[in-house]
Amino acid sequence: AGKVGVGLAKAADVTNAIAKATEQAKKNIITIQLINGTIAHEIRHKFGAAKIMLKPSRQGTGIIAGGPVRIVLELAGVKNIVSKIFGTNNAVNNAQCVMEALKSLKHIAAKEELADQKTAVANNPGAPAKNEEK
C-alpha cells in the first residue's frame, strides 16, 4: 500500500539468493503517495539506457505496463496507471528506473488535508498556520 523496494543478489542456492535479495529490498524501501489508486502526476525518467514513462489514469483502467514495470507497480499498490518502456529491455535496469521515477514523485496535499488546515486556522485565528513563519 504505497511501499516498495527492489533487491538483487547472487548465491549458490536459489533460496539463499532470494533471502539475500529480500533483505536488500527491505533496506531500499520507498514510500509513494497514491491518490485514488494512481500516482499524482506524469513522470518521464531515464536510468542508464532505460527510459520509462508513467501516467496516472482513471479508476478501472488497471495496470497497463509490461514486464518488470508491472511487477514493481503491483507491489507498490498502484491500481490504475499507464506506462511505456523505451530504450533497453534489460529487466534489472527497467526495475531500477521505475524505482528512481517513483522516488521523484512530488507529494501533493490531498483535498482533505487542505480542508483540515483551513478548518484549524478558522477555529483558531490567532495561531499561525503550518506553512507560515513565526
Side-chain angles (χ1 to χ4, degrees):
K3 292 185 179 184
V4 67
V6 171
L8 180 67
K10 289 169 38 174
D13 188 22
V14 174
T15 55
N16 291 338
I18 292 172
K20 285 170 66 175
T22 303
E23 289 301 316
Q24 188 180 16
K26 286 179 182 177
K27 293 176 186 175
N28 298 323
I29 287 180
I30 62 168
T31 303
I32 61 170
Q33 180 189 25
L34 297 176
I35 301 172
N36 297 328
T38 190
I39 58 176
H41 56 84
E42 181 179 338
I43 308 169
R44 291 177 185 265
H45 197 78
K46 185 176 188 301
F47 180 84
K51 296 176 197 158
I52 195 150
M53 182 222 19
L54 302 171
K55 276 186 180 181
S57 62
R58 292 190 289 170
Q59 198 75 14
T61 304
I63 299 176
I64 300 175
V69 178
R70 173 181 288 275
I71 294 168
V72 172
L73 293 173
E74 282 178 353
L75 292 173
V78 179
K79 301 285 187 228
N80 303 298
I81 196 163
V82 176
S83 74
K84 178 68 180 157
I85 298 171
F86 304 102
T88 185
N89 60 355
N90 183 316
V92 174
N93 284 348
N94 284 331
Q96 289 179 340
C97 185
V98 173
M99 290 296 291
E100 293 294 322
L102 292 176
K103 281 182 192 176
S104 70
L105 268 173
K106 295 182 178 114
H107 180 79
I108 297 176
K111 292 179 183 178
E112 296 85 25
E113 292 176 15
L114 294 175
D116 290 342
Q117 288 178 3
K118 289 179 183 178
T119 307
V121 171
N123 292 341
N124 193 1
K130 289 183 181 178
N131 298 355
E132 292 180 12
E133 293 181 19
K134 293 182 181 180

